Amino acid sequence: MSRKIDYGKELNEEQRGVVLEESGPLLVIAGAGSGKTRTLTYRVARLIETGVAPNRILLATFTNKAAWSMLSRVRSLLGLELERFWGGTFHSVAHRILRRHADRLGYERSFSILDAEDAVSLVKACIAELDLKKTSEKFPKAEVVQGILSFSANTDTPVGDVIFSRHPYFISRTDDIAAVAGRYRERKRKLQAMDFDDLLLNVRQLLAEHPEALGEYRDRFLHVLVDEYQDTNVIQADLVDMLASGHRNLMVVGDDSQSIYSFRGADFHNILRFPERYPDCRVFRLETNYRSTPEILNLANLSIRNNEQQFEKTLRAVRTEGVKPILATASSVLQQAQFVVQRILELEGSMPLKDIAVLYRAHYHSMELQMEMTRRGIPFEIRSGIRFFEQAHIKDVTAYLRILANPGDELAWKRVLPLYGGLGKVAAEKVWRFVSSQPEPLAALESEAFLKGATRTALPGLKRFREVMRRLREQAGDATVADLIGLVLEEGYRDHLYELYPEANFREEDLQQLANFSGGFERLEDFLNELALLTNLEKEDVSTTAETDKITLSTIHQAKGLEWSSVFLIWCAEGMLPLARALNDEGGVEEERRLFYVASTRAKDQLYLCYPVSDYRRGMGSMIVQPSRFIRELAPRYQGTRERPYEEWLVDEG
């Protein structure tokens, strides 16, 4: 049963203005803690309430988690199921379009998706084929080459320019790396596979070169909404413009002051120049902050005003008066760590540890702190590590299923075959050459020719592999995905786990959870496509560590979108924040200041800015450290008064 939403009661005036706006291009500058997600959610609900069919709305986000969360809230608001709604990451939207139209680009519609590990493996194979390692000059590892190719794709920049600006050490190998890029494209095409970057590149090519395809989606989407628009790259911005070009009902939501991902290819100018691309757009500002105290927002506002390239805004607190941020000056790096730990212990009596975070610009900034926290027995969690779907045992089992879904998936074959005794890379390559030359690779396993010429060492493994694949093929027609995963375990993979891993029981539980997850998919292909997308998402989802009371240690980049009651920002020193190497980049100082702003606005109640006045550096001895320019530039605004936006603490040597 549907319900009527009381927008006057449930939204503030700023949010309501956005939600109730009729149509046309809209730019929403949503300040930190201003209810951006709430505004987007109610906007979607409002459109549906006024008669717009859900399948004519496109909501593009940067994480599936964000899309699922918003759609769930829309369902709750309206009391309706949303059938055929187009919502998800840019990559998932691109994938959905390409599954229907890939043949126009020369791909089969059943093309495979390479996850990050598969992409690196294929690049490694291309390097080997071109024999580029056998020279006296150094050549980058496959992971580095893949990073160059990915950045080139996401920024629409020639490979040579990327090497010149980001990897000058390999300038002498530019032609060789370009050759790898060419071979990599050829191999992907031959494999009928796309990597994660290809999803965006190919859907843009499709829409640009095939007017009928563009027309279909341009006409379909009456409204296009984009979350975190400040994080889009040039390809994503082009896609948004094309998909919204029919009805021009485009709403982009973001905060230019939180644009901090240029290293991933995000283009800050997309949001900054939106009014130039859409001169008739209406600009809304969400400046009412529900997260932080007035004192914390005062400091953040004063800092970000020093940026020249921005949409000016002033965050206003809903909350009442709190305490001023603290500028804590320590004599050394070790004393900085000791201060943070001691203050955490003092705070522990008034709040759970999980409500406290320590943020920093670079991972190595936390080294001393980690040692001190370990020494003092304070539990902490670092926001990093291998995600669930990227673990080796998950990828092993899904490789079996990938072979069933797409027998032409070379990388899946070469992942599964070495799991059998006596089958190394050479044997796997030989098997692949044989099956890929046959019209039906899986049926070819049953032929006499399959075992012909096999060595005594390889023969048992080949027979066992053939038997397992036979069982999977027999079951594939009627079995669920969960049944197939269970069959892989029963047919030897469980034994493999216990022979190889010291904590095999935990890995088996992972696979049971994978089987549970698969229950939401009717077709094997849908399950594998979703898995491939999930493995490529940035680390923005729930941590796999146990739910315990721990301090969070995080880089500022990984902390974006999160909040804590108390935040310690360490190494607020020149050369550390801003990071020295970032100052050489165009716009580097302003992006570093945006990082300082993002870190500051993560705090709800208490903010501690910490730095040491000296640091020992190898070959140079003890060096004097200057406080960050982002701190120093705050003080002049209060010359002539005693008031500063922070309280100064000199950390006691004792």
Side-chain angles (χ1 to χ4, degrees), residues 322-337:
V323 297
K324 276 188 178 183
I326 303 299
L327 175 61
T329 305
S331 62
S332 66
V333 183
L334 291 176
Q335 193 188 51
Q336 175 182 244

Side-chain angles (χ1 to χ4, degrees), residues 144-156 159 162 184 195-197 201 233 264-265:
V144 175
V145 175
Q146 171 59 19
I148 292 171
L149 303 187
S150 182
F151 191 84
S152 170
N154 282 291
T155 58
D156 228 4
V159 168
V162 174
Y184 181 55
D195 64 20
F196 215 49
D197 301 322
L201 290 172
N233 61 35
R264 293 179 184 168

Side-chain angles (χ1 to χ4, degrees), residues 421-423 451-452 454-464:
L423 301 183
L451 299 178
K452 188 175 181 180
T455 65
R456 182 178 301 178
T457 304
L459 191 59
L462 288 175
K463 289 182 176 179
R464 182 62 187 143

Side-chain angles (χ1 to χ4, degrees), residues 271-389:
I271 190 167
L272 207 63
R273 295 173 182 165
F274 187 84
E276 296 176 18
R277 297 206 312 283
Y278 295 89
D280 58 333
C281 80
R282 288 177 290 284
V283 180
F284 295 83
R285 285 174 170 79
L286 303 182
E287 299 175 299
T288 303
N289 178 282
Y290 292 89
R291 176 186 299 151
S292 306
T293 63
E295 290 78 7
I296 291 172
L297 295 184
N298 180 43
L299 183 142
N301 286 331
L302 289 171
S303 175
I304 202 64
R305 284 176 191 168
N306 288 281
N307 273 7
E308 294 182 5
Q309 295 192 76
Q310 65 168 307
F311 292 102
E312 291 189 6
K313 71 185 79 66
T314 300
L315 294 178
R316 299 182 301 273
V318 169
R319 298 182 56 191
T320 56
E321 182 179 358
V323 297
K324 276 188 178 183
I326 303 299
L327 175 61
T329 305
S331 62
S332 66
V333 183
L334 291 176
Q335 193 188 51
Q336 175 182 244
Q338 291 164 1
F339 164 74
V340 171
V341 169
Q342 183 58 41
R343 188 63 185 140
I344 286 172
L345 291 172
E346 294 167 0
L347 292 172
E348 189 178 9
S350 59
M351 67 183 67
L353 292 179
K354 65 182 180 181
D355 288 346
I356 304 172
V358 182
L359 308 183
Y360 35 84
R361 174 63 178 86
H363 282 296
Y364 66 87
H365 292 170
S366 68
M367 183 174 61
E368 294 84 3
L369 181 62
Q370 289 186 46
M371 290 190 295
E372 181 66 14
M373 294 183 79
T374 301
R375 187 178 69 83
R376 301 287 291 272
I378 298 177
F380 62 91
E381 174 186 7
I382 300 175
R383 289 183 57 80
S384 59
I386 299 176
R387 290 177 294 154
F388 182 86
F389 294 105

Side-chain angles (χ1 to χ4, degrees), residues 5-21 28-40 42-43 73 284-291 314-319:
I5 301 172
D6 186 344
Y7 295 98
K9 180 180 179 181
E10 300 185 33
L11 301 171
N12 67 30
E13 185 177 351
E14 295 169 345
Q15 296 166 342
R16 195 161 57 249
V18 175
V19 169
L20 300 182
E21 183 62 39
V28 181
I29 305 299
S34 63
K36 168 183 67 69
T37 300
R38 185 178 186 83
T39 303
L40 263 172
Y42 276 79
R43 174 69 176 175
R73 292 173 68 177
F284 295 83
R285 285 174 170 79
L286 303 182
E287 299 175 299
T288 303
N289 178 282
Y290 292 89
R291 176 186 299 151
T314 300
L315 294 178
R316 299 182 301 273
V318 169
R319 298 182 56 191

